[in-house]
Amino acid sequence: QLQAVESGGGSVQPGGSLTLSCTISGDISEIYLVAWYRHTRERTHEVVATITKFGGTKYSDFVGGRYTVSRDIIKNTVYLRMNDLRPEDTAAYSCKPADASWGPGTQVTVSS
């Protein structure tokens, strides 16, 4: 029933930053968990970060303290702020509320 639309991707140099946005159809306060995934040829669905309806967050090890996931209930949007980006961060990023279908994703490319 739920769907999410991602935006904010782009091309940046190593060390740069991006903020990805995920606008969700539906009240995010009623969604238990929203997860950010990244997609590459090597790993099609790799969890990047999660945020619960209570505001709790978790990050995969490769994030290394560089990302912050947050939410804005009024805007019905979840964000992923990505700092100190590295070439290995290059991937398509998707935001998926629990039990929702996959959205289109947004591409992040990090290169010199």
Side-chain angles (χ1 to χ4, degrees):
Q1 298 183 154
L2 300 173
Q3 64 177 12
V5 178
E6 305 91 343
S7 63
S11 298
V12 298
Q13 294 183 325
S17 299
L18 288 171
T19 298
L20 308 184
S21 298
C22 171
T23 300
I24 299 170
S25 297
D27 188 351
I28 64 172
S29 67
E30 298 180 357
I31 301 170
Y32 178 73
L33 182 144
V34 178
W36 283 98
Y37 295 82
R38 69 179 184 180
H39 313 269
T40 66
R41 291 185 62 184
E42 295 182 344
R43 292 173 173 81
T44 57
H45 303 87
E46 185 177 24
V47 175
V48 177
T50 61
I51 185 167
T52 71
K53 65 184 295 184
F54 309 108
T57 59
K58 294 183 179 180
Y59 302 90
S60 292
D61 289 342
F62 64 80
V63 170
R66 299 175 297 126
Y67 300 172
T68 301
V69 63
S70 61
R71 63 176 185 168
D72 187 324
I73 296 176
I74 296 175
K75 295 181 178 180
N76 232 34
T77 300
V78 174
Y79 302 95
L80 183 67
R81 177 167 293 178
M82 311 168 73
N83 298 314
D84 192 23
L85 286 163
R86 306 162 182 168
E88 54 263 40
D89 296 322
T90 296
Y93 287 77
S94 296
C95 172
K96 185 178 181 299
D99 300 321
S101 60
W102 292 102
T106 185
Q107 179 69 34
V108 172
T109 301
V110 185
S111 65
S112 299

